[in-house]
Amino acid sequence: MTMNLPNTLTILRLAAAPGIVIMFLYFHRPLADWFALTLFILAAITDFLDGYLARAWKQESKLGTMLDPIADKAMVIIALVVITGFSGMNPWILLPATLVIFREVFVSGLREFLGDTAGTLKVTNLAKWKTTAQMVAISMLFATGAFEHYFGMQSLAMTSEMVDDAISGRGPDEFGLWWKYQGMVVSWWGGIIMLWIAAFLTMVTGWDYFNKARPHLTDTAP
């Protein structure tokens, strides 16, 4: 095995995947949301850096090639499971998350079956956009969780009329409810839209990968 900076970054990203769950086990919300968001963003940055550095420094290796997709899938799947849990199984999140997880498991099993042949099925630009959409969606939904908790805690002792007045500007807004509400709404809808886009791209790229693999799945394949 070749240990270099790109491979080290990949291993750190793989180790960060279960760290998202640990944030919610050992920290209270919304602190856990911010820690998970920070950890996920840092991991997403390493996803770009490890591949870029490996190519730029000519340090591409079998270890990195094997671990990179595993780390990506682990981060995305674990993050989606956590978000689905704290969203209360919201169908707007549950359905696209299910499609994403199904595709990742299906393609991983297909790649394992194909063995060395899987290496000849190159990653497309659409697949890279799919990964980007997934990471943006997950980041925004982690932010939603944090905004929701700040908004909920600071409006707990207020009547609905007081909250409405603070948000609309008709009354005092001592706790900054307006910007917390705006952050909650924007990150929620942004995250939902990006998650559905990611689910669509996920299914398209999954079908494309399956079509490319079909010649190798027949009994008469070379």
Side-chain angles (χ1 to χ4, degrees):
M1 293 190 298
T2 303
M3 288 307 301
N4 48 42
L5 182 56
N7 285 348
T8 301
L9 291 174
T10 303
I11 292 172
L12 289 175
R13 185 165 80 260
L14 182 61
I20 293 175
V21 176
I22 293 174
M23 295 299 105
F24 287 88
L25 291 177
Y26 291 97
F27 296 97
H28 294 292
R29 300 181 69 189
L31 199 58
D33 297 87
W34 288 122
F35 283 162
L37 173 61
T38 302
L39 186 63
F40 188 83
I41 290 175
L42 289 174
I45 292 173
T46 67
D47 183 32
F48 167 77
L49 281 179
D50 58 11
Y52 174 80
L53 293 177
R55 291 186 296 271
W57 295 350
K58 301 187 185 306
Q59 293 183 347
E60 295 174 290
S61 64
K62 290 184 178 180
L63 177 64
T65 302
M66 183 270 292
L67 286 181
D68 186 67
I70 295 175
D72 290 345
K73 288 174 174 56
M75 283 295 300
V76 168
I77 290 174
I78 290 175
L80 286 176
V81 169
V82 171
I83 290 172
T84 301
F86 73 61
S87 69
M89 306 295 283
N90 188 305
W92 284 97
I93 294 177
L94 181 60
L95 180 55
T98 300
L99 293 175
V100 170
I101 293 172
F102 171 80
R103 183 269 188 192
E104 300 297 2
V105 172
F106 177 79
V107 170
S108 294
L110 190 57
R111 291 180 67 89
E112 181 180 355
F113 174 80
L114 293 176
D116 293 338
T117 306
T120 65
L121 305 178
K122 300 299 183 182
V123 176
T124 63
N125 287 330
L126 194 60
K128 295 178 181 178
W129 280 108
K130 175 264 300 181
T131 301
T132 301
Q134 288 176 350
M135 292 183 173
V136 171
I138 290 169
S139 297
M140 296 187 77
L141 290 173
F142 273 134
T144 299
F147 282 121
E148 282 180 345
H149 270 70
Y150 282 124
F151 184 84
M153 288 187 300
Q154 294 179 345
S155 62
L156 188 62
M158 301 171 65
T159 64
S160 58
E161 290 78 9
M162 294 171 64
V163 173
D164 289 340
D165 287 345
I167 293 174
S168 64
R170 294 191 302 267
D173 186 15
E174 299 176 358
F175 301 108
L177 293 184
W178 180 87
W179 70 264
K180 294 180 179 69
Y181 178 78
Q182 295 302 319
M184 181 174 65
V185 171
V186 171
S187 61
W188 163 259
W189 283 111
I192 291 297
I193 291 170
M194 289 303 299
L195 185 59
W196 278 91
I197 291 174
F200 173 75
L201 294 177
T202 294
M203 298 308 292
V204 170
T205 56
W207 181 255
D208 177 65
Y209 192 92
F210 175 70
N211 272 336
K212 291 178 179 177
R214 285 175 65 182
H216 304 283
L217 300 177
T218 62
D219 293 333
T220 59

